Amino acid sequence: MLAIIGAPTLQEMISKTVPTGIQFSKSVALSASLSESEMHAELKSIASQNKVLRSFIGMGYYGTHMPSVIQRSIFENPGWYTQYTPYQAEVAQGRLESLVNFQTMISDMTGLSHSNASLLDEGTAAAEAFSLSFSVTGGKKNRFFVDEKLHPQTIGLIKTRADPFGVKVEVGSHSSFDFSAKDVCGVIFQYPNTEGSIEDFSALVKRAHDGEALAICATDLLALTMLKAPGEFDCDIAVGSAQRFGVPLGYGGPHAGFIATREKFVRKLPGRVIGVTKDANGKVAYRLALQTRETHIRREKATSNICTAQALLANIAAMYAVYHGPDGLRKIASRVHGLTVSLAKIVEQGGHSVQKGAFFDTLTISPKGGVDSILERAASRGVNLRRLDGGRVGVSLDETVTVDDLRVLAEIFNPAMGEAALMAQLQTQPPSAIPESFKRTSEFLSHPVFHRYQTEHDFTRYCKMLENKDVSLVHSMIPLGSCTMKLNSATEMIPLTWPELANLHPYAPREQAAGYHELFRQMEKYLCEITGYDAFTLQPNSGANGEYCGLMAIRGYHKSRGEGHRNVCLIPVSAHGTNPASAAVAGMKIVTVKNLKSGAIDLVDLKARCAEHSKALAAIMITYPSTYGVFDEDVRDVCEIVHQHGGQVYLDGANMNAQVLLCRPGDYGADVSHLNLHKTFCIPHGGGGPGMGPVGVKKHLAPFLPSHPVVPDPTRSGGPVSSGPFGSSLITTISWAYIKMMGADGLRSATSHAILNANYMAARLASHYNILFRGKHGFVAHEFVVDLKGFKATANIDATDIAKRLQDYGFHSPTMSWPVPGSLMIEPTESEPKEEMDRYVDALISIRNEIRDIEEGRLPKDINPLKCAPHPVETVTASEWNRPYSRESAAFPLPYLRKTKLWPGCARVDDTYGDQNLVCSCPPMEAYCDA
């Protein structure tokens, strides 16, 4: 490989790729690398420090049973968790269908016509709903009302989001709030509320609408099997979490939040929306819809920076609904509700006071002997209850509750109750605590997909059928520049199902989570060593959320110094699309900085912009190495220029996998970064999520990192950015395991080999394609950009045609037309062997030869293997074939494809048709039957 690149040694290539002035070669305080079995033993020892007691805390987090068939077929299956974001729809039809099932489930349950493909969690979904209401009411209404019985973590996230927009969040009783001034953009309430009561919000919704405000309902999916849907009492938006549909607690995540709305607001719906369209053969197909309104288009006009989803968790929740069907969900809900009604009787018979009115699964209790004695009695029996104000406790039941659990709760609240009386109470069919006026009468989940897979046999085949339509790392490399897919080792994934990690409630007392906090302490220490920063927060649960978190820390820092007027954020032309969106959501004004033809930041323009905005300069956002795939030699100068004008340097950590232990952002001038643990540190993409974006800062910014309203950190003053106080805690273990097994030498080697692999592929392709950007010594970083624009004139071929043709070769396309229009950005990672990279390069060379056939007239410009790609099996095996190239060249252009052929799930999708005829739920039954 080095011979082809033209470098005598790996070390010399690295020394000429990473600028001399920032190279890092010191030792770091990372433990020696462990074997797989040693890592598991150490992690098991740490995890055993967690005490998984029986938690009845609720607050949006519940115990749940992940059906074994889902655990084996989806959660533990690399064919599902190593898929990339579904940007290439034809090789993502399986997960897209599953995500349409999720959207259909959410729309049906909430009674609202459109849902997206999930959000990060319930709190961030509520924050997005606030932003939507602020946007659709013109961005001029500066008040937002929150009912006081919304979950406290959700209140905290809304306050964080509203602050940069200058919107006053008013928390109070919904019964008395006045909308008559018409200066309120929206209202949000919990249904059932955080204390368990089911209230009639129809009058509130009407008052909000009369005041020209939007009504947002935070709700619970299992409760909605029994309760009237929010859309049925005229709500505009519904949000919540799908966690209790089979997703482990995981000490706070990852979980799939949801948001649904009316059709009139769908084009402002944040995040990813899966739409139904047709392919080139007229067949029903799925795709990411409304892509032109994504954040990279909206930039400074963005009201959301969300560019991802929780696809793996949304798929688990959707499959939970598919497997149980509406009748199964009703049965689960009825059992939970019945046990809660029985518990209320048991508690009342013990002399305690239970809240009056309707409830579903949660009781608020005023203990007769005081709250402390009840909590002590509960703790002595291994039970966590929720402490509420006013000397009250909360008890929330879920589908995992057993008769033994009720027996323990009876011992806590009614110790005089004997076994016979208890069993008699449980065997009595209790009357429902839900009045008729609240009961659901409308159907839900009526589509055939929720009725035909209720046996394990059928369900397993359905999961496999969907899996077989998708490309994932089990098939081939997925070399997307900027956010690529690398190995997610099985050893790192196995602990996710360990009960001591999976079953801990995020609001359990801290002493019960000692193992997790030891993991957090170690992880933060390791990340500081790797980056040169002084402190980390693990709370952000996506890269975009990390960007937002870091910018809010910068904002808090400036305000603390009496410089709250600093609101200008400089962003280079080449920046990730989420960068300007994150700056906009953080209340900053975006000013663009030019890039040179080399890809480097234009220092002359940077100096001019800094001088122009010196008194208002808040920050610059840069990506390093740049999105052009080169290490900017002037990065220290960039940082110094910004610092001279009082600004902070935000370094986007998306490309940290080219820096780990070769250079450290904290050493060469950056003040803050987020790290994509789902890239550099091996957390799988899961078909479009989960992700994590922890934020590292220099010590002067540490006090402004996020705290949390339920689990506060007295050393930090920033508002929360995730519902879970420590983000997606469960999957932090993956990155911890990766670092433990690699050690310092392994991490440095991985970074070097990522750069080696990119340079090797670029060198092999250089005689066939134009490689756009290189560093001072002719090397690329960990990714490179291939220019395709000239083919439009010579062969009528564009980047899309090449991306689609790669599917016929069994590959996912690299990043397409970004950061340069008409290009492919390729990032191989260190994970891939030379043989796989050669296979990919051979495919691109073969495609170049096909383009040459068009250029030289051997194939027409309008009908050829690229313009007609991809070629699904039904196209290749059709009875008629009237194309000017053979079926063999369409399906088997290279010999290796005869051994392993992944057929595209459909022909080329029609994006225009899908956007013009927007459908975001399961197709009608007749289309389903035809398919």
Side-chain angles (χ1 to χ4, degrees), residues 294-302 571-573 575 580-581 584 590 592:
E294 282 196 353
T295 52
H296 65 283
I297 300 297
R298 297 166 76 174
R299 293 179 66 88
E300 66 276 1
K301 296 180 180 179
I571 299 182
V573 171
I590 293 136
T592 301

Side-chain angles (χ1 to χ4, degrees), residues 315-335:
N315 283 330
I316 290 172
M319 289 298 187
Y320 181 94
V322 168
Y323 188 53
H324 288 294
D327 292 340
L329 294 179
R330 287 190 194 98
K331 183 181 289 187
I332 293 169
S334 296
R335 179 179 177 275

